Each structure stands twice: as C-alpha cells, then as structure tokens.
Amino acid sequence: MNQTLDKFKEHLKKMRQYEQAVCLLNWDLQTMAPKKGVESKLETLGFFSTESFKLSTSEEYGAMLQELSRPELFAQLDEGMQLTVKRGLRDYQRFQRVPQDFYTDYVTTSARSEKMWEEAKRAGDFSLFSPWLDKMISMTRQYVGYMEPEKDAYEVLLDMYEEGMDSATIDRIFDEMKEGLLPLLSKIAAAGMPDLSALEGHYDIDAQKKVQNMLLSYIGFDFDGGAVAESEHPFTMGICHGDIRTTNHYLEDAPLSAIFSAIHEGGHAIFEQNIDPVFVNTAAEQVNLMGLHESQSRFFENILGRNPNFWKPVYGQLGELLPQFQTVPFDVFCRAINDVRPSFIRTEADEVTYCLHIILRYEMEKAIFRDHAATDTLPELWNDKMEELLGIRPANDAEGILQDMHWSDGSFGYFPSYLLGSIYGGMFLNQIEKELGSLDPILAEGRVKEITAWLNKKIHRYGSLYNSRQAVQRVCGCEISAAPLLSYFNKKYGEIYGF
Amino acid sequence: MNQTLDKFKEHLKKMRQYEQAVCLLNWDLQTMAPKKGVESKLETLGFFSTESFKLSTSEEYGAMLQELSRPELFAQLDEGMQLTVKRGLRDYQRFQRVPQDFYTDYVTTSARSEKMWEEAKRAGDFSLFSPWLDKMISMTRQYVGYMEPEKDAYEVLLDMYEEGMDSATIDRIFDEMKEGLLPLLSKIAAAGMPDLSALEGHYDIDAQKKVQNMLLSYIGFDFDGGAVAESEHPFTMGICHGDIRTTNHYLEDAPLSAIFSAIHEGGHAIFEQNIDPVFVNTAAEQVNLMGLHESQSRFFENILGRNPNFWKPVYGQLGELLPQFQTVPFDVFCRAINDVRPSFIRTEADEVTYCLHIILRYEMEKAIFRDHAATDTLPELWNDKMEELLGIRPANDAEGILQDMHWSDGSFGYFPSYLLGSIYGGMFLNQIEKELGSLDPILAEGRVKEITAWLNKKIHRYGSLYNSRQAVQRVCGCEISAAPLLSYFNKKYGEIYGF
C-alpha cells in the first residue's frame, strides 16, 4: 500500500510540475510575452502539454489508479487522496476512450475555430464563423460521446464544468429566476435612469492600479501569496499553492471597469489562496467547479462590492488616489455602481440583467444539443430570445451571438455556471446574515475581512473536495434555490429605485 | 547523415524547450513570484534543470555528437551546427568527467554558500562567510580539475566565461590600463568635484519607467521582441528567439540609476535581439561570452549614454516626463553623468574607476588560485589593493570584500569580463569612428540607431559564432589592446575637467 501510494504521489508531483510549466507559459503569453516570441512559446507550450497529457494517460498511472481504487486500499486514503483517485480514474477512463487522432484533430480545430471567431467578431459577420461553429458543435458532441457513450451529451458537458449538476436542476432554478426577474425589471424600468455624467473624465491608469491594489488588500487578497498583472481580459490563475495571480485591464475613461474587475478576480483568487495546504498535490487543490468559483468572485464583486456600505470606509481613499472622485457625491457613485438597464453585452451587464444573459445562452445550448437547431438559424434565435428576455434586439451579430468566445473553442455547458454562481452567492449571503447579522454594519464599519474569513472557513479551505451542490448543502443546510438571490435583488433595488 | 542530423536537431530542440522552462521560472522568480510560491517554484526549477542536464549528458546525445564530429560529416554542417557540435562535445566530455555525487554536492554547497554570503554581507561580518568561501575555492578548484585535468584551474575558469581568453593576454592589457589610468585619475582629482545638488529631489517611479521605455526605444530596443519588468537587481535574460527581456530597479531619489541601468541592459538585449535567425537552436544563439556581452552593454551605457551629445535630442523629453530635470541645466546634467571619483562599491562606480575595481578582483583571484592565499587574509589583501589602486580604504568588509555575490557561488574568473568588455568597446568605438566619422554629430543629430545598426551588422548578428578575440580581429583587424579605451578616457575627461 505505502509503496503504491508513494509512487502515486511521486507521479502526481511530476504531473503538477509539468502543469506548473504549462500555467506559467500561459500566464506569460497573456501578460508579458512579446509578439515575436509567441510562436516559440506556443511550441514549448504544446510540448509540455503533451508531456503532461502523456503522464495523465500512461498505463503506469492507470494501474496505480486501479490499485488504489480497490476498496480495502481506498478506505485507508485520506479524503484529498480519495478524491484524487476517484477523479483521476474517471478522467483516465474518459480519455482512454477518446481516439488519439480525434483528440488531436479536436484540439487543432478548436484553436482554428477560435481564430475564425475573432475574425468574424471583428467583421461582425456570422457567416465567417458559421461553418466552424457547426464543426465545433458536432465535434464536441462526438468528443463527449467518446468519453461517456451512455449519457446525454449536454448532461456530460454540464457536469464537466460543474460536477454533479444536471439540466433538471438548472431548469428548475433558472425558471424560478426568470419568473422573479421579469417583474423586477419592469419596476426598475418604470423608475427611470439616473444621471451619471458626474463620473465622466480621464482617470490616470497608474492611479487606477493603486486603487486596485488598495481594494485587493482591503478584501483580503494576500500579496505574499499572489500577484497582479495586466492583460487583455482580466482572469485569475493558480500557478501553484502559494501563488495565485489575477490580472486586470484599465480604461482611461471608465474607472469602474478596473475597480470591479479587481474585486471580481480578487474573489476568485481569495478562494484559491485559502485552500487548506493539506490538499496540496491532490485533486481538491484544483477547483474545476466553475459555479462555485463564480459564486465567490460574483459575491465579492456584486454582493459586497456594489453594496454602498462597502464604500463608506474607503471612499475617501478612492478620492485621494483618483481625485476626480472627490467631485462625485457618494450617492451618485452608489447609483452608478448599481445602474440597472438592459444592454447587449454580457460582460458589461449589471448584476440583475446579467442573469437573463445567462438564461438566454443556456436556452440556446439546449436548442443546439437537444433540439438540433440548425447552425444558420442561431443568430435569429439569439435575437428573438434577447427581445423576449430583455426587450432589446441586437442590430448586428457582434453585439449578438458573436460576442462571447466560449462556443468557438467548444466550451458548451460553461455558461450556466455564471448564474449558478450568483445563485449560490445569494444562498451564502442568506446564511452569513443568519450567522453574523446584517452585512450592512459589518461593511460600513470596515470589517469586510470578517466576511472573507467566514467564506475561508466555510468554503475556500475545502477547495473542490465537495462539489457545489454538496458545498451548498453543508454550508446552508438545504437544496439549491434561487429565492435568496431574488429576495436580495428585490430588497436592494427596491431601496435604490424607491419602489 | 541527414537522419543523424535530424535526430540531433530534435534533441537540441527538446533541450531548448526544457531550458526555456528553466529560464521562464527564473525570470518569474526574480520579477513576479510572490514569497509563498517560491518553494514550490524552486522545486519545479530543480526538476526541469535536472531533466535538462540529463538531456545534455545522455549517452544518445553523446553518440550523436561523436558521429557528427567525424570529419566527413562535420565538413557538411553549416557554421552554426559546427559550433554546436564542437561546443556540445567539449561540454559533454567535461561533464562526463565530473562525478555525479560531487556535482550535486557542488551545486548544493553553492546555494548554501550564497545564502551565507547574503547573511554575512548584511551583518558586515566576513567570519560568517569565510569557511564557505574557503569551501567554494577548494570545490571550484576540484570541479574544474575534473573537467580539464591537464590544465591550470584559473585558465579553465577564465575560458569558461570568456572562451579563448587567457591570463597572459589579460595581464598584458590590464597592466596597460593600470598604467594609463593612474595619471588620468590624478589629473581628475586635481580638477576638483562638481556641485551636483541641482539633481536632488523626489522622482516619481511611474515617470521613471516612462523615461526608461523612451530611452530603450530610442537606442533600438524592440518591444515586439522583448519586455521590461522590475526586479531587485537589473538583468537581461533571453527566454527564446524573439523574446529578450530586461529588468530595472527604481530609486525615488536617484533617477540616474534606472536611466543608466536601462541603457546598459538595453545594450545586452539589443545584442541578443539581433542575432541572425539562422542561428536559432544552435550554440551561436547562446552568448556565453561575457566579455563580448559586456562590451555591448557598457558601450551603450558609457560610450553612448554618457556622451553629452547623446542627450541633446532627448533632454527635452526627459524634462517633460520628469519635470525636475527642467530645473537642471544641461551642462550640470552632463557633469553629473560623468562624475568621476574613487568609491568603494563596484556597481556604483563611474566608468573610469570601475576599471580599477575589476583589476583589483582579477589580482585577488590570481592570489587565490595561483598563490594559494589563505582565505582569512583576503579581506586585508582586498583593502590594501583598494588603497593602492584607488587611494581609499574600506571601513568594513561590507564595502570591501563582501560586496559582490560572484565568489559565493563559485563564479571565479567572471570579473575580468567586465573590463574586457570596456576594452573591446573602446576598440569598437575606434573602428566606428573610422567608418562612420565622429560619434558626436551622429548622436547630436539623434541618429543613434545608425550606430546600433553598425553594431548589429558587425557583431550582434553572429551571436557567439566567433569568440571575443575573433570578433575583435574581424571587426577591427587587430589584436586586443587597451589603448583605444584609454585614449577615449583621456580625450573625454580632458574636455570635461579641462586639462
């Protein structure tokens, strides 16, 4: 037993070292690598990815997984190792069933498809992307068909990004959301739009970086266990235990963008920074539960960061670092960060209409994978759903179906995680307030780190040991429900918009 | 033939990919990695270094090198490949002779010794470092003894950092330097010190970074083929062809530090950025000729960057970016960047006294490796030489023998390269002026890139295809001599100090 386990741990460590090289290369490509070095770095990335893939599908690794799965040995493993063996065996078996040639073809086609999507988006021309989307749909269907031949393709996809989740559950809670949101949005629309011109101006980017660092420290990001860099799109990446990094991007005329991206990515990073060190080199360290991950980033960004009380202790500092804010009255600022109105682009949407952007994508994905909707009918379907859900119709596909990258590389089934994250966040809020009392005074008194500590203790430390459903059950003692998020929305926006 | 060559190239590429990972990890550790991730990253670095070492000492690689060295095959290789086989075989044979246990012990002891040096330097206490220095001297002697059992240890060390160089040549040209420098320094001392208080003040670090980028572009650094980051000590690192990076550090009260470090590291980077792409994945791409490398960085920093004419076209921009310079008259600035006076610390020394700092270290190294000077007598010997060469005596070992890291990790024989670099630079200057005319009008008219282009064409493109001695011979048509550097010093400082 001990010998197999030691050998297994050695193998895991080696896998992690290759993965660390792959992460670092990816990080570098997105934050630092100059244009002329990209080709060589992509080649090296390909080399190390292949070495890493070989390790995770080697016969030796498979034999160790089989051995450690034997009930009498499995029972002796600690919970981190049990998860590692269970997930490892599942993935090993899945990958074994995918023909090597098909896999290479799928990866290459994804990369090309992504490039074509970029081009089509730039040109605002769906017809350029349509044949590639068509190919990605059929290849993705084939890919998951190899991995899990007995199961419905879309269920497998959902499970890939949010283990343990299924469309029956999502249908139930997304319907709940839809029903609750439509009347809320009518009320908000009736209340009229605030005047936000006081925020217009030029905001120095070096100063925006200082604001970002101040806010990250304020919410509990550990600069000794992470770093921040600049990239085209903000993201968070765990390089290894003790090194969880985020990026940001800065707009000279829209300082709220970097501010809320910082808090959002900070939420992702704080999650991974606080995983218990006992899980180092186990599967629990890798949080592939996208809904749970989003629950933390969206909780920090929206439920904490857009609460006016969050800003009471730091609004003065914000004005010191970015003097333009000294002329923006506090209540105008609070209206600006809670400005709810229908818009076309998901990534720029407010926290309320955002939910409908996700429901739209979820319904589209079901139409694709369940109803086999023809690819060339998808733009029209998108626009119809947009009109139905948000009352606005895109003038072109760039602000419609072409806006997101996800489908271009085959990440079907990913979108629902965003809204699931918000919904879990609503449930966690509910539970925090039961245990710690109302957020408002905690935030107003500058004690946000007490909330961070609660999340660390209840959620972060376990990494992905429990899937999202299990985590919600453990933390809140009940099944997933959209009701807490809806009630948070109604209370908050009722106060802001006065209804 | 073709089959062996293809296999050999495949092997080289694999070696480069591991080296690229090692470089990137090192880069990351020095520029970005947070404290808590260091341990894990060092472990991964160790893993990839070992894999890389295995590839460069594998029997398969050795057999290919032997095969390609056969005269009839060797003759068919292009010059980049010939160099790769020649250097590869030499290093392969050297490493084969080093016992594995000894090598591991040497590497580990180096790392520990470096740590102890840091501690001793902080404490200003040589006795903490003395036993480690003693061990590093004897182990380094043993190490090169394994590699080249027939040769004098110090000659092997000199050749490691500056291939083809020997102590007879260095003795000759360093004596030439010493003889020429001592009267020059007396004249400068007699002329009195300038008043530089106009430069005192606080210089914004973000603005210093903008100045750095402006200067790097100005001298020809290609931001599409490189990047700049911040680190404790400035350095340059080639990650791969098309990605040559430098770092800088910034002092709020001393803006000249970052300015001249930028130009210095820029010189290193411009060298590697302009190596001909035909040498990718050959030994010529790796410029281990430290003297030749320093000749470029020191040429840009001193011979170009400290020439008043260099600043004429950009002094206005400097004042726009760092407004404090608007109140510094141009001639005061030019005096400040050419302030020559004896000082204790090599890395802060001006270009003239710097030469004597290196001669001191070279004489110390000969005393250690040739005369077997006892380690505990070395601090006194250092101080005596300092007094002899520069007329000042360190008050403690932190500003004496403990100041440099090089000896702590066994890099004996490295120091002479710095002065050799300046000497080659003087010769290149001489040759440029023969071919292009005086530097002064070229710089004053903002045509510095014509000089960069000359260096690209004559030196940079070949990488390390020719060693320094060969490069000097090819470019200048004569043997290495200190005379051009001395005559540059005498002319320049005669004008500045009026003698």
Side-chain angles (χ1 to χ4, degrees):
Chain A
M1 159 74 176
N2 281 340
Q3 224 177 344
T4 310
L5 189 58
D6 287 348
K7 253 183 66 195
F8 183 64
K9 283 183 179 171
E10 267 313 299
H11 193 92
L12 289 178
K13 195 171 184 179
K14 204 166 163 186
M15 283 167 67
R16 281 286 186 287
Q17 283 167 328
Y18 279 99
E19 283 158 19
Q20 206 179 111
V22 168
C23 280
L24 202 55
L25 279 156
N26 263 319
W27 168 266
D28 194 75
L29 277 164
Q30 291 183 68
T31 58
M32 170 71 68
K35 221 163 65 178
K36 293 182 183 169
V38 168
E39 260 322 301
S40 159
K41 224 154 279 131
L42 284 175
E43 222 179 319
T44 306
L45 188 65
F47 171 73
F48 284 114
S49 301
T50 307
E51 292 299 306
S52 173
F53 184 79
K54 279 187 203 159
L55 286 170
S56 66
T57 54
S58 75
E59 277 181 33
E60 190 198 355
Y61 178 59
M64 288 189 282
L65 286 167
Q66 292 287 3
E67 172 76 6
L68 291 169
S69 299
R70 284 169 45 208
E72 66 279 21
L73 293 189
F74 190 78
Q76 294 175 52
L77 301 175
D78 63 35
E79 50 185 5
M81 249 336 129
Q82 287 187 339
L83 185 82
T84 310
V85 170
K86 228 170 66 187
R87 282 207 193 132
L89 194 62
R90 182 199 62 192
D91 294 341
Y92 182 78
Q93 288 167 339
R94 280 180 170 178
F95 283 124
Q96 287 294 316
R97 290 192 283 259
V98 180
Q100 180 62 47
D101 285 355
F102 173 81
Y103 184 76
T104 307
D105 191 17
Y106 184 55
V107 170
T108 320
T109 309
S110 297
R112 290 213 190 103
S113 165
E114 205 186 306
K115 288 269 160 250
M116 281 312 295
W117 162 76
E118 270 174 27
E119 210 169 296
K121 184 181 174 183
R122 237 189 331 262
D125 183 354
F126 181 75
S127 73
L128 292 174
F129 178 51
S130 182
W132 290 91
L133 177 56
D134 205 47
K135 200 175 287 193
M136 285 315 296
I137 293 169
S138 66
M139 287 188 86
T140 302
R141 202 191 289 279
Q142 205 178 341
Y143 179 53
V144 298
Y146 283 126
M147 292 201 296
E148 294 288 357
E150 314 279 301
K151 294 187 185 154
D152 173 79
Y154 194 53
E155 296 295 342
V156 179
L157 287 166
L158 289 173
D159 182 78
M160 269 169 65
Y161 298 106
E162 185 68 335
E163 195 188 289
M165 190 47 65
D166 56 73
S167 64
T169 308
I170 298 179
D171 282 344
R172 173 176 65 75
I173 51 186
F174 281 17
D175 282 349
E176 223 184 309
M177 279 308 297
K178 216 155 109 174
E179 254 170 68
L181 283 175
L182 298 178
L184 171 63
L185 282 171
S186 308
K187 281 190 241 170
I188 290 175
M193 306 295 188
D195 174 18
L196 304 175
S197 56
L199 274 95
E200 283 166 14
H202 172 274
Y203 295 79
D204 180 63
I205 283 178
D206 291 322
Q208 289 193 41
K209 290 183 185 172
K210 291 192 177 102
V211 169
Q212 150 205 292
N213 292 348
M214 179 272 282
L215 288 169
L216 283 170
S217 292
Y218 185 65
I219 62 174
F221 179 87
D222 175 8
F223 278 92
D224 284 340
V228 188
E230 193 167 350
S231 66
E232 176 107 21
H233 302 289
F235 65 88
T236 298
M237 186 181 269
I239 310 279
C240 62
H241 184 77
D243 188 1
I244 312 297
R245 303 175 180 186
T246 76
T247 68
N248 209 342
H249 69 160
Y250 312 92
L251 304 173
E252 289 201 337
D253 59 351
L256 297 182
S257 167
I259 284 175
F260 285 95
S261 288
I263 304 177
H264 179 97
E265 300 304 330
H268 281 304
I270 287 169
F271 185 171
E272 296 206 16
Q273 286 186 332
N274 289 285
I275 297 174
D276 192 322
V278 300
F279 295 127
V280 170
N281 285 341
T282 74
E285 196 191 9
Q286 296 182 303
V287 188
N288 300 325
L289 308 165
M290 300 325 295
L292 196 61
H293 230 310
E294 283 296 322
S295 81
Q296 298 309 296
S297 54
R298 301 185 68 73
F299 188 88
F300 274 95
E301 178 193 346
N302 295 323
I303 296 180
L304 302 182
R306 296 188 196 274
N307 184 323
N309 295 288
F310 175 91
W311 290 96
K312 283 184 186 159
V314 289
Y315 199 64
Q317 276 181 72
L318 180 63
E320 276 164 35
L321 293 168
L322 282 172
Q324 291 93 327
F325 280 110
Q326 289 171 17
T327 61
V328 179
F330 186 69
D331 65 315
V332 173
F333 176 78
C334 294
R335 279 301 283 266
I337 65 177
N338 286 295
D339 180 34
V340 173
R341 62 181 94 192
S343 62
F344 294 112
I345 305 298
R346 175 183 64 86
T347 55
E348 291 164 15
D350 60 84
E351 64 175 328
V352 182
T353 60
Y354 189 91
C355 307
L356 294 166
H357 285 267
I358 298 306
I359 290 174
L360 179 156
R361 285 154 179 79
Y362 174 62
E363 292 181 357
M364 295 287 298
E365 289 184 343
K366 286 199 296 180
I368 294 168
F369 281 89
R370 294 270 166 76
D371 311 336
H372 297 265
T375 305
D376 59 2
T377 66
L378 296 177
E380 203 62 19
L381 187 60
W382 178 291
N383 295 349
D384 291 346
K385 286 192 177 290
M386 195 74 185
E387 208 163 347
E388 175 202 329
L389 291 166
L390 280 158
I392 54 177
R393 193 172 184 91
N396 56 62
D397 293 332
E399 59 181 32
I401 193 171
L402 285 175
Q403 67 182 272
D404 291 312
M405 195 200 78
H406 303 56
W407 293 343
S408 75
D409 71 354
S411 301
F412 302 97
Y414 189 113
F415 281 123
S417 335
Y418 294 114
L419 178 50
L420 289 170
S422 293
I423 289 168
Y424 307 155
M427 299 190 72
F428 296 144
L429 166 66
N430 205 22
Q431 190 63 26
I432 289 174
E433 295 206 315
K434 270 190 209 158
E435 297 185 23
L436 305 182
S438 166
L439 280 195
D440 294 348
I442 299 176
L443 292 174
E445 290 160 21
R447 296 186 284 120
V448 62
K449 286 208 186 82
E450 293 178 17
I451 302 163
T452 306
W454 188 94
L455 295 165
N456 292 162
K457 195 177 126 206
K458 299 279 184 165
I459 299 162
H460 304 163
R461 54 174 299 201
Y462 298 107
S464 67
L465 187 66
Y466 307 111
N467 70 28
S468 306
R469 188 170 238 145
Q470 292 165 333
V472 167
Q473 185 69 46
R474 282 177 54 93
V475 174
C476 309
C478 59
E479 249 298 309
I480 299 164
S481 152
L485 182 66
L486 282 166
S487 101
Y488 152 74
F489 280 160
N490 277 301
K491 181 163 171 287
K492 174 173 173 179
Y493 291 95
E495 279 166 19
I496 292 175
Y497 287 83
F499 52 76
Chain B
M1 159 75 176
N2 281 339
Q3 225 178 342
T4 309
L5 188 58
D6 287 348
K7 254 184 66 196
F8 183 63
K9 284 183 178 171
E10 267 312 300
H11 193 92
L12 289 178
K13 195 172 183 178
K14 203 167 164 185
M15 281 167 68
R16 282 286 187 286
Q17 283 167 328
Y18 278 99
E19 283 158 19
Q20 206 181 110
V22 168
C23 280
L24 201 56
L25 279 156
N26 263 319
W27 167 266
D28 194 75
L29 277 164
Q30 291 183 68
T31 59
M32 172 70 70
K35 222 163 66 178
K36 293 182 182 170
V38 167
E39 260 322 302
S40 159
K41 225 154 277 131
L42 285 176
E43 221 178 323
T44 306
L45 188 65
F47 171 73
F48 284 112
S49 301
T50 306
E51 292 299 307
S52 172
F53 184 79
K54 278 187 203 159
L55 286 170
S56 66
T57 53
S58 74
E59 278 181 32
E60 190 198 356
Y61 178 59
M64 289 188 281
L65 285 167
Q66 292 287 3
E67 173 76 5
L68 292 169
S69 300
R70 284 170 44 208
E72 66 278 20
L73 293 189
F74 190 78
Q76 294 175 52
L77 301 175
D78 63 34
E79 50 186 4
M81 250 333 133
Q82 287 187 340
L83 185 81
T84 310
V85 170
K86 229 170 65 187
R87 282 209 193 129
L89 193 63
R90 181 198 62 191
D91 294 342
Y92 182 78
Q93 287 167 342
R94 280 182 171 177
F95 283 124
Q96 287 294 317
R97 290 192 283 260
V98 180
Q100 181 60 50
D101 285 355
F102 172 82
Y103 184 77
T104 308
D105 191 15
Y106 184 55
V107 170
T108 321
T109 308
S110 297
R112 290 215 188 102
S113 163
E114 206 186 305
K115 288 268 161 252
M116 281 313 295
W117 162 76
E118 269 174 27
E119 211 168 294
K121 184 181 174 183
R122 240 191 327 264
D125 183 355
F126 182 75
S127 72
L128 291 174
F129 178 50
S130 183
W132 290 92
L133 177 55
D134 205 46
K135 200 176 286 193
M136 285 315 295
I137 292 169
S138 66
M139 288 189 86
T140 302
R141 201 190 288 279
Q142 205 178 341
Y143 179 53
V144 297
Y146 284 125
M147 292 201 295
E148 294 288 358
E150 314 280 301
K151 292 187 187 156
D152 172 79
Y154 194 53
E155 296 295 341
V156 179
L157 287 166
L158 289 173
D159 183 79
M160 269 169 63
Y161 298 106
E162 185 68 335
E163 194 189 289
M165 191 46 67
D166 55 72
S167 63
T169 309
I170 298 179
D171 282 344
R172 172 175 65 75
I173 51 185
F174 280 17
D175 281 349
E176 225 184 307
M177 280 308 298
K178 217 156 108 173
E179 254 170 67
L181 283 176
L182 298 178
L184 171 64
L185 282 172
S186 307
K187 283 189 239 168
I188 291 175
M193 306 293 186
D195 173 19
L196 303 174
S197 56
L199 274 94
E200 283 166 15
H202 171 274
Y203 294 79
D204 180 63
I205 283 178
D206 291 322
Q208 289 194 40
K209 290 182 183 172
K210 291 191 177 102
V211 168
Q212 149 205 292
N213 291 347
M214 180 272 283
L215 288 169
L216 282 171
S217 292
Y218 185 65
I219 62 173
F221 178 88
D222 175 8
F223 277 93
D224 285 341
V228 188
E230 192 168 350
S231 65
E232 176 107 21
H233 302 288
F235 64 88
T236 298
M237 186 182 269
I239 310 279
C240 62
H241 183 77
D243 188 359
I244 312 297
R245 303 177 179 184
T246 76
T247 67
N248 209 342
H249 70 160
Y250 312 93
L251 304 173
E252 290 200 337
D253 58 351
L256 297 183
S257 167
I259 284 175
F260 285 95
S261 289
I263 304 176
H264 179 98
E265 300 305 329
H268 281 304
I270 287 168
F271 185 172
E272 297 206 15
Q273 286 186 332
N274 289 286
I275 297 174
D276 192 322
V278 300
F279 296 127
V280 169
N281 283 342
T282 74
E285 195 190 10
Q286 297 182 304
V287 188
N288 300 325
L289 307 165
M290 300 325 295
L292 196 61
H293 230 311
E294 283 296 320
S295 81
Q296 299 309 296
S297 54
R298 301 185 67 74
F299 188 89
F300 274 94
E301 178 193 345
N302 295 322
I303 296 181
L304 301 182
R306 297 189 196 272
N307 183 323
N309 294 287
F310 175 91
W311 290 96
K312 283 184 186 160
V314 290
Y315 199 64
Q317 276 181 72
L318 180 63
E320 275 164 35
L321 293 168
L322 282 172
Q324 291 92 326
F325 280 111
Q326 289 171 14
T327 61
V328 179
F330 186 68
D331 64 317
V332 173
F333 176 78
C334 294
R335 280 300 285 266
I337 65 176
N338 286 296
D339 181 33
V340 172
R341 61 181 92 193
S343 62
F344 293 111
I345 304 298
R346 175 183 64 86
T347 54
E348 291 164 16
D350 60 85
E351 63 174 330
V352 182
T353 59
Y354 189 91
C355 306
L356 295 167
H357 285 268
I358 298 305
I359 291 174
L360 179 155
R361 284 155 179 79
Y362 174 61
E363 292 180 357
M364 294 287 298
E365 289 184 343
K366 287 200 296 182
I368 293 168
F369 280 89
R370 295 270 165 77
D371 311 337
H372 297 265
T375 306
D376 58 1
T377 67
L378 295 177
E380 202 62 17
L381 186 60
W382 178 291
N383 295 349
D384 291 346
K385 286 191 177 290
M386 195 74 185
E387 209 163 348
E388 175 202 330
L389 292 166
L390 280 158
I392 52 176
R393 193 173 185 92
N396 57 60
D397 293 332
E399 59 181 31
I401 194 171
L402 285 175
Q403 67 182 274
D404 290 313
M405 195 200 78
H406 303 56
W407 294 342
S408 74
D409 72 354
S411 301
F412 302 97
Y414 189 113
F415 280 123
S417 334
Y418 293 115
L419 178 50
L420 289 169
S422 293
I423 289 167
Y424 308 154
M427 299 190 72
F428 297 144
L429 167 65
N430 204 23
Q431 190 63 28
I432 289 174
E433 296 206 317
K434 270 189 208 160
E435 297 186 22
L436 305 182
S438 165
L439 279 196
D440 294 348
I442 300 175
L443 292 175
E445 290 160 21
R447 298 185 283 120
V448 62
K449 286 208 186 80
E450 293 179 17
I451 302 164
T452 307
W454 189 92
L455 295 165
N456 292 163
K457 196 178 126 206
K458 300 278 184 165
I459 299 162
H460 303 164
R461 54 174 299 202
Y462 299 107
S464 66
L465 187 65
Y466 306 111
N467 70 29
S468 306
R469 188 170 238 145
Q470 294 165 332
V472 167
Q473 185 69 47
R474 282 176 55 93
V475 174
C476 308
C478 59
E479 248 299 307
I480 299 164
S481 152
L485 182 65
L486 282 167
S487 103
Y488 152 74
F489 280 161
N490 277 300
K491 181 164 172 286
K492 174 173 172 179
Y493 291 96
E495 279 167 19
I496 291 175
Y497 286 83
F499 52 76

